[in-house]
Amino acid sequence: ADLCTDFSKTMNDDATELLFSEEELEGATKDFLSSLPRDESGKYRVSMKYPDLFGVLRNVKNESVRALMDTTNGRKCESNRAVFAEALKLRQECASLLGYSDHAHFRLEDKMAKPPEKVSEFLRELQQKLTPFARTEMEKLRSLKVEEAKKNASDLASFDEKSIQLRSWDYQYYTRVLLEREYSLDEELVREYF
């Protein structure tokens, strides 16, 4: 429990920030930009906290800015690696002391879905059923990225559609674009009601 608390505290206390110009944050909402502090040169200070992270990943058009946010966020709190490893070790030790082969068997003892093998089987079956739908959705998102790349290409003759891949930093952005196009859903308008 102490290690889990330490892990969460480290995440909450993380002060990692990146600086971006207004041009680099093109596409970000006015509300989002007005919530960001600025440094002495006027650049926006963007933290890795969820409101800032998703404000960039969902709205900023510049892929390199989204990529930098995503990779920086993924690399924060390096000290948590050791905490996580120690927590896993202690969980295994506790499970063994209580007569369980692993932490999963211990955690599922008083749950309806037991043993872990049954949970794994359920998840495999679910994955098989959902994978075709996920592939269709991912292809829709990739198509949006291809369309945007074509618009911005300087030379369409050498444009290679097959080389364009959907990356982790693209998912939030193109999902928002897809929702706006297919369902006319404007998250900013919806937000006004909450």
Side-chain angles (χ1 to χ4, degrees), residues 15-42:
T16 303
E17 288 183 330
L18 295 173
L19 298 174
F20 295 109
S21 67
E22 190 164 348
E23 295 77 33
E24 289 173 307
L25 296 176
E26 180 188 354
T29 66
K30 288 179 185 174
D31 283 347
F32 173 69
L33 290 176
S34 68
S35 74
L36 297 174
R38 292 183 184 222
D39 75 350
E40 55 282 344
S41 71

Side-chain angles (χ1 to χ4, degrees), residues 169-187:
W169 52 81
D170 293 324
Y171 180 75
Q172 293 288 333
Y173 178 77
Y174 289 107
T175 296
R176 180 193 56 79
V177 171
L178 183 67
L179 287 171
E180 286 177 1
R181 281 196 185 174
E182 287 200 2
Y183 306 108
S184 300
L185 178 68
D186 184 340
E187 290 177 346

Side-chain angles (χ1 to χ4, degrees), residues 91-188:
R91 284 181 173 182
Q92 179 59 44
E93 194 177 306
C94 288
S96 294
L97 286 170
L98 294 169
Y100 296 95
S101 60
D102 55 43
H103 185 69
H105 280 88
F106 166 67
R107 292 290 295 158
L108 290 171
E109 176 65 29
D110 61 348
K111 307 287 188 271
M112 191 167 75
K114 48 184 151 183
E117 294 79 15
K118 195 79 169 162
V119 173
S120 294
E121 179 186 334
F122 169 75
L123 292 174
R124 269 192 303 278
E125 288 174 10
L126 192 59
Q127 180 183 19
Q128 287 174 347
K129 291 176 184 175
L130 295 178
T131 296
F133 298 107
R135 283 196 179 116
T136 300
E137 287 299 307
M138 294 302 279
E139 190 49 42
K140 282 182 187 179
L141 297 178
R142 196 183 85 72
S143 294
L144 289 171
K145 186 173 181 178
V146 167
E147 180 185 317
E148 192 171 284
K150 270 185 186 174
K151 272 193 237 175
N152 298 327
S154 56
D155 180 18
L156 284 176
S158 63
F159 183 77
D160 181 16
E161 182 177 321
K162 291 179 181 140
S163 68
I164 296 177
Q165 296 178 10
L166 204 59
R167 306 285 187 185
S168 60
W169 52 81
D170 293 324
Y171 180 75
Q172 293 288 333
Y173 178 77
Y174 289 107
T175 296
R176 180 193 56 79
V177 171
L178 183 67
L179 287 171
E180 286 177 1
R181 281 196 185 174
E182 287 200 2
Y183 306 108
S184 300
L185 178 68
D186 184 340
E187 290 177 346
E188 289 304 305

